């Protein structure tokens, strides 16, 4: 069924839940996993007085490296073949979802797994939805793991 699973992570709690689901699924299916972290450069387009954008990017890269290392350990501890990738630049500025889809296509993933923050209302309008972007841009199945409870 699924032999290659791309897991998109951002280092947050919903990513942790997505990793847990992907570990179980990949182990059961004996699938190979690629864990992807995309550095979000969209914040660099706002005017930052007294802030060096290089420091922001370096901080995000560091978060990504830590998230990938932790995810890799979880998959390896479960006996699942795992690769990691850090995309330091999206395919176009701020295009996280397009970058995830591009990596899934290039790696020939059968499934994309990712967490979703479950934002609603104005927060969703302002921040957008990476998961919605992935669903709309990919022909591949996408498994979304909700990170926040909905009331």
């Amino acid at each position: 069924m699924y032999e290659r699973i791309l897991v998109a992570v951002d280092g947050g709690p919903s990513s942790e839940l997505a990793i847990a689901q992907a570990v179980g699924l990949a182990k059961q299916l004996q699938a190979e996993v690629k864990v992807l972290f995309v550095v979000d450069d969209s914040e660099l387009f706002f005017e930052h007085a007294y802030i060096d954008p290089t420091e922001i990017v370096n901080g995000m890269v560091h978060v990504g490296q830590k998230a990938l290392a932790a995810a890799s350990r979880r998959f390896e501890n479960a006996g699942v073949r795992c690769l990691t990738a850090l995309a330091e630049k999206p395919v176009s500025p701020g295009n996280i979802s397009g970058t995830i889809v591009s990596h899934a296509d290039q790696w020939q993933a059968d499934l994309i797994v990712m967490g979703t923050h479950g934002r609603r209302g104005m927060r969703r309008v302002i921040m957008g939805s990476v998961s919605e972007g992935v669903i709309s841009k990919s022909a591949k199945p996408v498994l979304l793991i909700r990170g926040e409870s909905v009331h």
Side-chain angles (χ1 to χ4, degrees):
M1 178 180 264
Y2 301 119
E3 296 176 7
R4 297 172 75 116
I5 301 171
L6 181 92
V7 181
V9 300
D10 65 4
S14 63
S15 287
E16 291 299 316
L17 295 171
I19 290 167
Q21 289 294 318
V23 165
L25 186 60
K27 188 170 177 110
Q28 184 176 26
L29 298 173
Q30 298 179 343
E32 182 177 16
V33 171
K34 183 174 187 178
V35 183
L36 172 67
F37 183 98
V38 181
V39 173
D40 183 0
D41 65 353
S42 61
E43 305 242 347
L44 302 180
F45 299 107
F46 299 105
E47 188 175 325
H48 291 289
Y50 311 108
I51 296 177
D52 179 3
T54 307
E55 290 180 31
I56 296 170
V57 170
N58 289 342
M60 288 188 278
V61 167
H62 180 70
V63 167
Q65 291 168 335
K66 284 177 57 176
L68 291 173
S72 180
R73 280 191 300 275
R74 287 185 63 186
F75 284 105
E76 289 171 5
N77 289 342
V80 174
R81 292 182 314 272
C82 178
L83 308 166
T84 61
L86 177 71
E88 292 191 39
K89 288 194 178 281
V91 292
S92 62
N95 190 355
I96 306 305
S97 59
T99 306
I100 292 168
V101 171
S102 176
H103 275 261
D105 289 344
Q106 289 172 9
W107 188 60
Q108 298 178 346
D110 303 310
L111 174 70
I112 300 170
V113 176
M114 59 190 296
T116 180
H117 298 283
R119 291 186 180 98
R120 296 278 187 249
M122 199 48 118
R123 284 179 67 197
R124 183 166 165 224
V125 170
I126 292 169
M127 299 182 78
S129 172
V130 173
S131 55
E132 274 187 11
V134 170
I135 290 169
S136 69
K137 294 173 184 166
S138 181
K140 299 178 185 307
V142 179
L143 174 60
L144 298 178
I145 308 301
R146 185 173 300 279
E148 296 178 4
S149 61
V150 177
H151 299 288

